Amino acid sequence: YDYNGSKLPFGGATIGTAFRNEIAPRAGLLRVREFTLAEIEYFLHPDKKDHPKFSNVAHLDLLLYSSQMQLETGRAVVTNLGQAVREGMIDNETLGYFIGRCAQFLLAAGVDAKKLRFRQHLKTEMAHYACDCWDAELETSYGWVECVGNADRSCYDLKVHSEKSKTDLTAWEEFAEPQTLEVLEPVLNMQMIGKAFRKDQKLVKEYIENLAQSEADALQFQDKLTADGKVTITVEGQDFEVAAGMVTFNKVTKKISGKSFLPSVIEPSYGIGRILYAILEHCYWQREGDEQREVLSLPPNMAPIKCAILPLSSNDVFLPFLDPLCHSLTALGVHARVDDSSTSIGKRYARMDELGVPFACTVDFDTPKDQCVTLRERDSCQQVRLPISEVPPLLKSIVDRISTWEQVREKYQHVVVKEA
């Protein structure tokens, strides 16, 4: 808050190892005691939950499974994200924004769009303090698995941290113009409080003063005190009985330039292991008519190896082209691997398909003559021929999601090769 110039909203992100008391670890990577968790804590004004970038995701059509759908039809429905926020299905724009960005992230990472849905927590499973909560669920061989939680946790977290640590975690809102407001002020009878609570009178005093920050809580306290003649409060694990006459809340008119408040927090929480497991399931398939040819269709930005460099044979004429091309790709951050084994080119293609390598660059007998190579795309097996010098910047552009394979095919000469 201080580093952000004492302004809201702002967020912080972290990734690391988390632990839980899982009694019976099972289902591979899905239920484990130790796992990698990535979280964002996004703090904002509790009455101002619009988001300046929501329009960037409002057009998305997502498979939403609201609490009402779960109770009535049992079916999720593809719904426009902007419409879901406008109609109140999703509580606010900022929560909707993070749901949209979550969908974009998962799809870019390789999740199958048909196997992604967002399920809203039912009232019976939602935390008592939460405003709204939507889980990103991915369909796997184990069924629908919760992989990301997007929760509006209201101001509960900061309220509890503030109480337990005795640290002021409020933010300050400066009004454009000073405002005249009616506020509740506690009038304390310190003589009665001191006599009744002695060394603990400071705890009781602070509790009552903090109570006055919420008009609803203060009035409820006042009504109970009037009706019963006493109210039992709990502070730091101790019970104190506040009697009538110790405190009254009066409305006074004040001219104020701003007010303090506890920020709300929206928390997207990503289970990295579950996401990776689902991606591996979603990206694995077998070529039609040949179950032995397995393919891992990782997106280029996710594949550990982006390009395989394959000489057509073990002929020494290809050697001057292999290492320079590999070094040029690596220099641009495109990890490449040379496979100069003696197996056939078709088997080496199949080997790279299993590893999820999205592109294969083949150096053939024409390369020394025309300084060109063929570039093969993994999923379609389509090939184009292009100058060897253009391969590194082209693949860098595809990995960075600036260009697409369709654009490559429009630009370069097609090559038809029958793979053995």
Side-chain angles (χ1 to χ4, degrees), residues 134-153:
W134 291 78
D135 290 340
E137 296 184 333
L138 302 178
E139 188 177 17
T140 71
S141 56
Y142 293 97
W144 287 98
V145 177
E146 171 200 344
C147 293
V148 183
N150 296 282
D152 183 339
R153 298 173 61 86

Side-chain angles (χ1 to χ4, degrees), residues 213-233:
Q213 295 180 9
S214 169
E215 183 173 341
D217 291 344
L219 292 176
Q220 184 180 3
F221 181 92
Q222 181 76 61
D223 292 342
K224 186 172 179 59
L225 191 62
T226 303
D228 301 340
K230 60 183 180 180
V231 175
T232 300
I233 62 173

Side-chain angles (χ1 to χ4, degrees), residues 345-361:
I345 191 69
K347 288 184 178 179
R348 280 182 283 162
Y349 282 151
R351 180 188 298 162
M352 294 302 159
D353 292 345
E354 289 181 355
L355 295 175
V357 182
F359 299 102
C361 187

Side-chain angles (χ1 to χ4, degrees), residues 127-420:
H128 66 88
Y129 49 79
C131 296
D132 199 4
C133 184
W134 291 78
D135 290 340
E137 296 184 333
L138 302 178
E139 188 177 17
T140 71
S141 56
Y142 293 97
W144 287 98
V145 177
E146 171 200 344
C147 293
V148 183
N150 296 282
D152 183 339
R153 298 173 61 86
S154 69
C155 60
Y156 179 81
D157 292 339
L158 289 182
K159 179 180 179 182
V160 173
H161 284 311
S162 182
E163 289 175 355
K164 298 300 182 182
S165 66
K166 300 194 181 310
T167 303
D168 182 17
L169 297 177
T170 59
W172 177 259
E173 179 184 18
E174 190 77 25
F175 297 146
E177 297 288 340
Q179 297 182 9
T180 302
L181 299 175
E182 280 193 339
V183 297
L184 283 179
E185 273 196 352
V187 179
L188 300 169
N189 186 331
M190 291 309 299
Q191 184 176 357
M192 288 183 65
I193 291 174
K195 185 176 180 181
F197 305 118
R198 300 186 181 278
K199 63 182 179 63
D200 295 318
Q201 61 179 295
K202 184 180 178 182
L203 294 177
V204 176
K205 177 176 179 290
E206 289 178 349
Y207 178 91
I208 295 173
E209 288 175 344
N210 290 331
L211 195 65
Q213 295 180 9
S214 169
E215 183 173 341
D217 291 344
L219 292 176
Q220 184 180 3
F221 181 92
Q222 181 76 61
D223 292 342
K224 186 172 179 59
L225 191 62
T226 303
D228 301 340
K230 60 183 180 180
V231 175
T232 300
I233 62 173
T234 302
V235 185
E236 294 187 359
Q238 301 180 66
D239 291 337
F240 301 102
E241 191 175 276
V242 179
M246 289 185 178
V247 59
T248 57
F249 290 94
N250 296 332
K251 280 193 173 183
V252 297
T253 301
K254 281 189 173 182
K255 194 171 186 178
I256 57 177
S257 60
K259 66 175 182 179
S260 60
F261 63 92
L262 278 172
S264 288
V265 61
I266 290 180
E267 180 189 80
S269 181
Y270 291 70
I272 303 302
R274 291 187 175 189
I275 293 172
L276 286 175
Y277 175 82
I279 289 172
L280 292 176
E281 272 204 18
H282 292 186
C283 290
Y284 171 82
W285 54 284
Q286 297 167 331
R287 295 206 184 274
E288 187 176 353
D290 189 353
E291 294 183 357
Q292 297 301 314
R293 297 193 63 184
E294 300 167 319
V295 183
L296 189 62
S297 293
L298 295 173
N301 61 320
M302 284 289 289
I305 304 172
K306 316 296 185 187
C307 181
I309 301 172
L310 311 176
L312 194 59
S313 70
S314 56
N315 196 306
D316 290 345
V317 71
F318 304 130
L319 293 179
F321 301 95
L322 304 182
D323 285 345
L325 177 56
C326 187
H327 292 157
S328 297
L329 287 165
T330 304
L332 293 178
V334 180
H335 182 51
R337 171 180 171 179
V338 176
D339 184 352
D340 55 1
S341 59
S342 59
T343 54
S344 69
I345 191 69
K347 288 184 178 179
R348 280 182 283 162
Y349 282 151
R351 180 188 298 162
M352 294 302 159
D353 292 345
E354 289 181 355
L355 295 175
V357 182
F359 299 102
C361 187
T362 306
V363 180
D364 55 35
F365 287 103
D366 289 329
T367 302
K369 304 172 188 176
D370 59 11
Q371 300 295 304
C372 291
V373 293
T374 58
L375 185 65
R376 173 187 181 268
E377 196 271 336
R378 174 198 58 214
D379 296 346
S380 65
C381 296
Q382 296 168 344
Q383 297 191 33
V384 297
R385 192 161 185 83
L386 71 164
I388 193 169
S389 61
E390 296 183 20
V391 172
L394 176 67
L395 291 185
K396 172 66 173 175
S397 179
I398 294 177
V399 169
D400 290 344
R401 303 175 69 209
I402 297 171
S403 302
T404 64
W405 176 251
E406 288 69 26
Q407 292 172 327
V408 173
R409 293 193 73 230
E410 291 175 2
K411 182 177 180 180
Y412 296 104
Q413 173 192 350
H414 296 188
V415 178
V416 179
V417 179
K418 185 177 181 179
E419 298 184 11

